[in-house]
Amino acid sequence: MNINTSNNHDNGEQDQKGVSKKRYMPLLLINYTCLFLGSVSSSLLSKYYFNHKGSNKWVSTWVQSAGFPFLLLPVFLPYYLFQCTQRKPFTRFTPRILSLSIFIGLMLGLNYLLFSWGNSYLPVSTSALLLSSQLVFNLILSAIMVKQKITFTNLNCVILLTLSSILLALGSNHDKPQDLTPTKYMIGFVATIGAGLLFALYLPIMEMIYKKVYCYAMMIEMQLVMELSATILASVGMVWDGGFTEMRKESKEVFDKGEGVYWVTMITNVVTWQLCFMGTAGTVFLTCSLTGGICMTALLGMNVLGGVLVYREDFGGVKIVSTVMCGWGFCSYVYGMYVNNHMMKLLDDHKQNINPSIEMAQPQPQPHSDLHLGFGV
């Protein structure tokens, strides 16, 4: 009886994540789409800013989180305008959740700054492949913090991605721009690795916190607070470094594509970064931190190809091999997930066939329409 009760408890937790297949899968696809569009376009737009004489690292950091007002729409419209949910915004948003959101937001602000430093000095393709190292940290931290099982498939993926990054590091001396000193190139290299480490820490921390979050709407509210905190940190840096004044000067006198293109680039970058981080948070909430890291790593390959196609960056033998290894590792992980899910389904079917009477006797968890999506009646 204890075993069955435990199983029902686990099933209840799974139902909280799933709610219903009709609503879960479309929501997951929307988050995947936001993650894909946001990751690729934001990386290319950030590089576009630096390629055309944009130089302020704080400006690049600020635009990564300044789009937080867009999150007000999914927070308030479902209740006040569409009236499709009975849950008022920020219901059960405890002081503890607020403090955690602020702390993680500040951590993200530091991550954004490191990413800006790395992206300003490194080609998109090199930066993207270096960021793939975050998956190594993600697997280790997930195993420690959320008890993620280390299997052959995820370990194989980590080894391949690690070798890919090492191979890139050994063969990228010729890849640095002509006007970039070795010192600045090394700063960009280290900053990018640091950004990957912080992001890898962010993912399992969020998975732990999301276990206490009971609906998708609350996850968006947490994301709003985190991005607001990161924006405040970046704004302090902007004021300290004269970034807001420099933005006006940069748009008129420095940016070589003109003032209009400058502001279009900034606004578009603000939107695409929010798509990227909202998609990441949603993916972690609906699945797990390791899956979120895997998806981000898979998109790094698209960033590599985007840098080659849009900016005509070098794509020699080293990067080709690194990209192939990255794709190989990702595909092996996806295949391992497919096999594991198939085996779990067969095992569940087998248990139901053996003990149908026990299953019928146990009270079944009732999925709450408003439990983890927050947009139900």
Side-chain angles (χ1 to χ4, degrees), residues 58-290:
W58 282 109
V59 170
S60 181
T61 302
W62 185 76
V63 299
Q64 293 182 56
S65 58
F68 71 88
F70 290 108
L71 297 178
L72 294 172
L73 300 178
V75 168
F76 290 101
L77 290 185
Y79 179 79
Y80 290 104
L81 182 62
F82 301 133
Q83 297 181 349
C84 59
T85 179
Q86 294 179 357
R87 179 187 179 272
K88 292 186 66 173
F90 292 96
T91 299
R92 292 172 61 178
F93 201 88
T94 63
R96 183 173 183 272
I97 293 179
L98 176 63
S99 60
L100 287 172
S101 299
I102 293 174
F103 171 76
I104 295 172
L106 296 176
M107 185 179 74
L108 284 177
L110 177 59
N111 178 71
Y112 299 160
L113 178 61
L114 290 174
F115 178 83
S116 297
W117 275 82
N119 205 38
S120 65
Y121 291 144
L122 300 178
V124 170
S125 52
T126 301
S127 177
L129 287 172
L130 281 176
L131 284 172
S132 66
S133 63
Q134 62 89 14
L135 190 58
V136 181
F137 306 129
N138 187 9
L139 177 62
I140 296 172
L141 294 173
S142 294
I144 296 173
M145 299 172 65
V146 295
K147 309 305 180 184
Q148 173 70 46
K149 292 183 179 179
I150 298 180
T151 63
F152 172 77
T153 52
N154 56 35
L155 186 60
N156 177 61
C157 177
V158 166
I159 292 174
L160 287 172
L161 290 173
T162 303
L163 293 176
S164 172
S165 298
I166 293 174
L167 181 62
L168 176 69
L170 294 176
S172 53
N173 286 333
H174 69 284
D175 203 25
K176 57 180 179 290
Q178 295 180 354
D179 58 345
L180 187 62
T181 64
T183 300
K184 289 184 177 180
Y185 185 81
M186 184 55 62
I187 290 174
F189 197 92
V190 173
T192 303
I193 293 293
L197 176 59
L198 272 179
F199 188 76
L201 179 62
Y202 157 79
L203 291 174
I205 287 178
M206 290 312 301
E207 182 177 350
M208 293 176 62
I209 295 175
Y210 285 158
K211 291 180 180 180
K212 307 295 183 181
V213 173
Y214 78 102
C215 69
Y216 185 83
M218 183 179 285
M219 185 276 295
I220 299 179
E221 293 160 2
M222 288 189 63
Q223 191 69 15
L224 173 63
V225 175
M226 287 188 288
E227 296 298 330
L228 174 60
S229 302
T231 303
I232 292 174
L233 177 64
S235 298
V236 171
M238 290 272 284
V239 172
W240 172 72
D241 197 40
F244 290 109
T245 302
E246 188 171 332
M247 281 184 76
R248 292 191 292 269
K249 179 180 179 181
E250 194 174 58
S251 65
K252 295 179 180 179
E253 303 176 10
V254 179
F255 198 73
D256 59 14
K257 290 295 183 178
E259 184 177 2
V261 176
Y262 179 88
W263 291 113
V264 169
T265 302
M266 291 292 104
I267 295 173
T268 308
N269 213 358
V270 164
V271 174
T272 56
W273 275 119
Q274 282 308 302
L275 285 175
C276 177
F277 295 128
M278 191 62 233
T280 303
T283 299
V284 173
F285 177 81
L286 294 169
T287 57
C288 68
S289 59
L290 187 58

Side-chain angles (χ1 to χ4, degrees), residues 15 17-30 286 367 369 373:
D15 285 340
K17 287 290 184 183
V19 185
S20 68
K21 291 182 179 180
K22 291 182 178 179
R23 303 177 69 188
Y24 175 81
M25 288 308 298
L27 189 61
L28 186 59
L29 290 176
I30 290 173
L286 294 169
S369 62
L373 295 184

Side-chain angles (χ1 to χ4, degrees), residues 23 57 70 95 173 186 297 343 358 364:
R23 303 177 69 188
K57 314 299 185 303
F70 290 108
N173 286 333
M186 184 55 62
T297 304
M343 293 297 294
I358 296 178
Q364 297 299 316

